[in-house]
Amino acid sequence: MDKKIKHSFKVILEKYISEILVIFIGISISFFFDEWRENRSDEETVKKHLTVLRTNLMQDTLKLSFMINNGNKFVKSINKLAYFKHDSEITDSIDFHIDNAASYLAFKSNQMAYEEIRQTAHTHLIKNDSLKTLFLSYYTSIIPYCIEWCKVDETHTMTQLIPEMSIYFPVVPDSLNLVSSQEKANYLRTKKLRNLLLANAAYKKVTINAFVFTKKATVNLLKKVDDELNTP
């Protein structure tokens, strides 16, 4: 009788244990697939962010190249106005050079991907630490540095150079206030105006250097993004 009871108890215990094991295995498999689906979803989310980021960086590269070329043209024109020896060297193109000198450099980065990642708090989804570091540094340090120098150039051009030039001649050609090329050339020889032109050229050169630095950082980050997108 005792043997039958022990046998029956053993069978029941084994049955319960097997049922518990089945339930445990089922829950474990469910957790595994949930985690797998979540990781897969995170990978797809990051890939979407990086694809948009890649487009943004390519646009930034083109804009920076354009602004570097423009900046060099502006500096070249300023040097023409500041260093000419004979009026005949610039009188035919003086309005063109004045227009360039009165222009300032500006750069607006496309930050669509950065803003989306920041607002959705998805930065942690970027598992590649070097990519994450470059990404954050680019938008929180390098871009602000570039924009800061653009603002310096803009401020000096708008508040110092243009007002001083406007004392002698209209910066924008004005049919009601005609000043001959010869007169403009004479005015450009005034000490204060020449010094302001040279100072403005210096600000533009630093801004151009900021563009060059930013472009290198953009290309570097773009390469990292490409490597990450091409990783199986």
Side-chain angles (χ1 to χ4, degrees), residues 27-86:
I27 292 173
S28 297
I29 292 173
S30 176
F31 279 137
F32 170 79
F33 278 109
D34 283 344
E35 185 176 356
W36 177 80
R37 280 194 294 268
E38 185 176 342
N39 288 337
R40 187 179 179 86
S41 176
D42 288 346
E43 288 174 2
E44 290 175 355
T45 299
V46 170
K47 185 164 286 189
K48 288 178 182 177
H49 285 317
L50 292 180
T51 301
V52 177
L53 176 60
R54 184 180 187 278
T55 301
N56 293 170
L57 293 171
M58 290 179 68
Q59 291 170 346
D60 282 359
T61 303
L62 292 174
K63 289 179 186 176
L64 287 163
S65 296
F66 177 77
M67 292 314 302
I68 290 169
N69 289 334
N70 263 10
N72 288 325
K73 290 177 184 176
F74 295 164
V75 171
K76 186 176 180 180
S77 284
I78 291 173
N79 287 337
K80 286 280 188 181
L81 297 176
Y83 292 113
F84 72 94
K85 293 182 179 179
H86 305 289

Side-chain angles (χ1 to χ4, degrees), residues 64 145-146 149 205-215:
L64 287 163
Y145 169 77
C146 184
W149 273 107
K205 287 175 183 177
V206 178
T207 306
I208 292 168
N209 287 338
F211 285 152
V212 172
F213 175 76
T214 304
K215 183 180 175 181

Side-chain angles (χ1 to χ4, degrees), residues 122-215:
H122 282 165
T123 307
H124 71 284
L125 296 180
I126 303 174
K127 303 303 182 184
N128 186 321
D129 289 337
S130 62
L131 172 58
K132 186 190 299 184
T133 300
L134 279 176
F135 168 72
L136 293 174
S137 173
Y138 182 78
Y139 287 105
T140 62
S141 178
I142 295 172
I143 291 297
Y145 169 77
C146 184
I147 293 173
E148 182 180 354
W149 273 107
C150 289
K151 195 64 183 176
V152 170
D153 177 41
E154 177 187 356
T155 300
H156 185 268
T157 303
M158 297 298 292
T159 65
Q160 300 292 320
L161 182 60
I162 291 179
E164 184 66 21
M165 285 196 295
S166 299
I167 294 173
Y168 309 105
F169 49 78
V171 175
V172 178
D174 183 358
S175 59
L176 299 177
N177 185 13
L178 295 176
V179 179
S180 68
S181 296
Q182 184 66 54
E183 290 177 290
K184 291 177 182 179
N186 290 335
Y187 290 138
L188 287 167
R189 288 191 171 92
T190 59
K191 186 175 181 181
K192 184 176 180 181
L193 180 51
R194 186 173 184 275
N195 286 341
L196 284 174
L197 283 167
L198 293 175
N200 192 260
Y203 288 131
K204 280 180 169 55
K205 287 175 183 177
V206 178
T207 306
I208 292 168
N209 287 338
F211 285 152
V212 172
F213 175 76
T214 304
K215 183 180 175 181

